[in-house]
Amino acid sequence: MPGKYRFSFGPWNIHEGADPFGPTVRNTIQFGRKLNLYKELGFDAVQFHDDDAVPNMDNLTPEQIIKQAEEVRSALEGEGLAAEFVAPRLWEGANTIDGAYTSNDPACREYAKQRSRRMLDITLALNCKLVVLWLAREGTYIREAKDSKVAVDRIVEAINDMLAYDPSIKIAIEPKPNEPMDQAYIPTTGHAVAISYLTNDPKRVGVNIETAHTILAGLDPSDEMGFALAYDKLYTVHLNDQNGLKFDEDKTFGSVDLRRAFNQVRILDKYDYGTRGEFVGLDVKAMRTQKQEVATKHLSNSRTIFLSLLDLVRSLDESKVEALIAERDYEELDMLIINHLMGK
Ligand code: XUL
Ligand code: MN
């Protein structure tokens, strides 16, 4: 029986359009207003960075942090929204210039651990059970700067610390091969799955697969999802699109390669993604050229494209697919899929 999907995105996906070469081009939309937009746009859950929920948290006491997070939880309840995950923002502060868990400075590593505990307090206060770890600066610009074996040990140690601090949470590592770093230590799904088995509770450590990140690693997003599904470790996804090997573009899902998007929807639907509470998460950015009043279309369009592709997935004649596989006639299978995508 085909499942129904619920969608999520993060408040950073409604943004002002700044890039490394130019300032903001749109006004800031306040967090409260962003929350009002979720249901209007067809979404059911919010993805958080810890300081999306509690701004300026490094200057607050643990009690103040929990109190503010509880206020956010009430605001979510008022909108009928859930918190899908919380991610520690460990890449902006002075203590994380050289990485967080893998920093060469022990004081900075300690900061990262403490910040992660506060992030877990926020997760609990938001009634949320999932943490996402995008290991932004856990890597190097030059190989000699860090010891890659020690770096993995330190990431494991940090994950163990979080698993012990809150025994109810699960952690989804979001691999990305580069940007901001030249080389990241956990660049692919395979690395993330492998590192989960070095932790004290592998059953609570999985992945968040972002389409664009897999493409930046030269891999296919649907195959990466298949790999994670085989290990029962696909805790969430960050669907978007990416036009080749360049900066992380976070384009509207399916807007570059519709067939690649179709295959992501196909594997998710085939293996009942979402039936254990998983959300279809987006991580998409509006083009910088987009005017203020129409700067949420990338979100609603991504959702619409997902649902349109879902119709195509479910109307594909799988018996024809199987017959062509049995015949080993992949040229005809190629044509079948193309015709199906073209509505023929
Ligand atoms: C960075 C990225 C992040 C994570 C959440 O490329 O995708 O937004 O998804 O920290
Ligand atoms: Mn992401």
Side-chain angles (χ1 to χ4, degrees), residues 17-191:
D19 70 16
F21 303 98
T24 58
V25 290
R26 292 184 285 265
N27 300 331
T28 301
I29 296 179
Q30 293 311 314
F31 179 68
R33 174 65 195 133
K34 286 185 183 177
L35 284 191
N36 305 146
L37 290 169
Y38 273 75
K39 287 278 174 180
E40 278 175 36
L41 293 168
F43 290 78
D44 295 305
V46 182
Q47 311 168 0
F48 284 94
H49 292 119
D50 48 10
D51 59 1
D52 292 324
V54 184
N56 206 20
M57 58 185 280
D58 281 345
N59 297 323
L60 303 176
T61 63
E63 294 71 28
Q64 289 170 321
I65 290 172
I66 290 168
K67 189 166 170 286
Q68 284 199 26
E70 282 169 352
E71 284 163 17
V72 174
R73 176 180 169 169
S74 305
L76 289 177
E77 282 167 3
E79 298 287 339
L81 294 168
E84 188 206 358
F85 69 68
V86 183
R89 197 192 300 276
L90 289 169
W91 53 89
E92 286 186 355
N95 283 318
T96 56
I97 288 173
D98 192 25
Y101 309 130
T102 67
S103 172
N104 286 322
D105 179 342
C108 291
R109 292 202 299 277
E110 185 52 30
Y111 162 81
K113 246 183 219 173
Q114 291 308 323
R115 167 84 178 221
S116 301
R117 289 178 178 208
R118 300 293 76 78
M119 175 275 297
L120 290 170
D121 293 342
I122 293 170
T123 309
L124 188 70
L126 292 177
N127 197 20
C128 177
K129 295 280 170 236
L130 185 63
V131 162
V132 162
L133 284 188
W134 171 47
L135 298 165
R137 297 194 189 277
E138 316 300 1
T140 52
Y141 301 113
I142 57 167
R143 302 299 79 70
E144 300 82 2
K146 290 180 188 171
D147 178 323
S148 52
K149 193 264 179 202
V150 170
V152 171
D153 294 344
R154 285 179 173 161
I155 294 169
V156 171
E157 191 187 312
I159 292 175
N160 282 340
D161 197 67
M162 285 181 260
L163 292 171
Y165 186 77
D166 184 344
S168 72
I169 50 116
K170 284 180 152 189
I171 297 177
I173 298 171
E174 182 179 335
K176 182 178 181 182
N178 58 276
E179 198 202 42
M181 306 315 292
D182 175 62
Q183 297 280 350
Y185 286 130
I186 309 297
T188 69
T189 309
H191 290 80

Side-chain angles (χ1 to χ4, degrees), residues 12 49 87 91 132 134 174 176 208 210 213 238 248 283:
W12 65 90
H49 292 119
W91 53 89
V132 162
W134 171 47
E174 182 179 335
K176 182 178 181 182
N208 173 17
E210 173 164 325
H213 296 178
H238 260 176
D248 185 10
D283 196 1

Side-chain angles (χ1 to χ4, degrees), residues 178-227:
N178 58 276
E179 198 202 42
M181 306 315 292
D182 175 62
Q183 297 280 350
Y185 286 130
I186 309 297
T188 69
T189 309
H191 290 80
V193 168
I195 206 171
S196 76
Y197 289 102
L198 291 176
T199 70
N200 289 339
D201 197 354
K203 281 209 151 40
R204 291 201 283 139
V205 184
V207 292
N208 173 17
I209 295 186
E210 173 164 325
T211 313
H213 296 178
T214 70
I215 296 164
L216 288 172
L219 299 168
D220 178 81
S222 63
D223 281 355
E224 291 290 279
M225 288 171 187
F227 186 89

